[in-house]
Amino acid sequence: MYPYIETIRIEQGSPCNLSYHQQRLERTFCRVYEKSSVFNLQEVIKVPETLSSFLVKLRFLYNDQDFICEYDEYKPRNIKTLRLLENNIINYSFKSTDRSMINHLFEQKDDCDDILIVKNGFVTDSSSANIVFFNGKNWLTPDTPLLEGTCRARLLEKSKIKEAVIRLEQIPAFQSFCLINAMVEGFDHPLPINNIIF
């Protein structure tokens, strides 16, 4: 059984942004297993040559002793609308293969493409991505994510986005939003804020 996972973008046969995935893997080992990671992603990931011409999604599944790699050609989801849902007990602090609570909420998206989860009045994430909002000047991401994504961490470090307290009632004040994760940086195609359905 592999309770934890890193989803890694493979472009032209090379894993992208591995240092951020390694940092999160280290945090998981430290907090869950109370020891240092036994895996160095740079050393253990071996991308098959047959995938070198594709954009690939790698699922690196692991426990405290072993791992497996699952490679698939990446097929992006066409997400245009988000259904806003509130849940005050959800917890997804570590990138886990147990997504039962998220999947339960996703089933309530109705005719929208995805969901946006609010916890205790604060905006968190979609079902599989962090969110960033544009206020006319800056791109802001909630300081209350369910999961601290690797793309989010990289964009914060490069000062391309900023953390902010973002409550449910503040959403209509923004102009647009994008979803970001290890596979997608959505800044090229921002979506209007009224695509979030209350």
Side-chain angles (χ1 to χ4, degrees):
M1 166 137 180
Y2 301 98
Y4 299 103
I5 181 172
E6 285 295 319
T7 302
I8 300 170
R9 180 185 177 100
I10 308 291
E11 199 167 346
Q12 296 181 335
S14 298
C16 300
N17 306 306
L18 268 192
S19 62
Y20 295 95
H21 292 284
Q22 186 71 42
Q23 289 170 19
R24 186 165 62 185
L25 185 147
E26 296 281 357
R27 287 197 303 271
T28 302
F29 260 85
C30 181
R31 297 176 189 174
V32 175
Y33 297 126
E34 299 182 342
K35 64 179 182 179
S36 297
S37 169
V38 297
F39 310 124
N40 182 318
L41 295 175
Q42 190 74 52
E43 295 176 357
V44 300
I45 293 175
K46 309 295 182 186
V47 182
E49 288 187 16
T50 54
L51 299 176
S52 61
S53 60
F54 298 101
L55 179 59
V56 173
K57 178 179 180 179
L58 163 60
R59 300 176 77 242
F60 181 89
L61 301 111
Y62 66 97
N63 55 35
D64 64 333
Q65 298 177 1
D66 197 12
F67 71 90
I68 57 171
C69 290
E70 296 178 350
Y71 299 92
D72 286 300
E73 184 178 352
Y74 178 61
K75 297 177 181 177
R77 294 168 58 199
N78 186 23
I79 298 174
K80 299 293 186 184
T81 56
L82 302 179
R83 172 72 60 189
L84 196 117
L85 295 173
E86 295 188 60
N87 186 288
N88 296 335
I89 62 171
I90 190 169
N91 182 22
Y92 195 69
S93 300
F94 304 104
K95 192 166 176 63
S96 168
T97 53
D98 180 5
R99 291 174 49 87
S100 53
M101 178 66 80
I102 293 173
N103 292 340
H104 173 70
L105 292 174
F106 185 79
E107 291 171 358
Q108 302 172 49
K109 67 183 179 65
D110 296 330
D111 56 349
C112 291
D113 301 313
D114 204 341
I115 58 174
L116 179 60
I117 302 166
V118 173
K119 182 175 179 179
N120 297 318
F122 296 93
V123 179
T124 67
D125 298 328
S126 78
S127 70
S128 59
N130 296 129
I131 191 166
V132 288
F133 296 96
F134 188 62
N135 63 6
K137 182 179 179 182
N138 297 307
W139 285 100
L140 305 177
T141 192
D143 65 353
T144 50
L146 293 178
L147 180 72
E148 294 181 8
T150 56
C151 181
R152 178 183 184 274
R154 178 167 51 84
L155 294 176
L156 283 169
E157 187 175 290
K158 294 183 176 181
S159 300
K160 291 187 175 182
I161 64 175
K162 299 178 180 180
E163 272 191 327
V165 176
I166 302 178
R167 296 187 60 88
L168 166 64
E169 61 269 19
Q170 294 174 273
I171 292 176
F174 292 104
Q175 294 181 10
S176 58
F177 71 94
C178 291
L179 298 177
I180 58 171
N181 61 26
M183 299 302 299
V184 177
E185 258 183 56
F187 290 107
D188 292 339
H189 303 287
L191 295 167
I193 203 66
N194 59 8
N195 281 25
I196 298 176
I197 312 301
F198 283 72

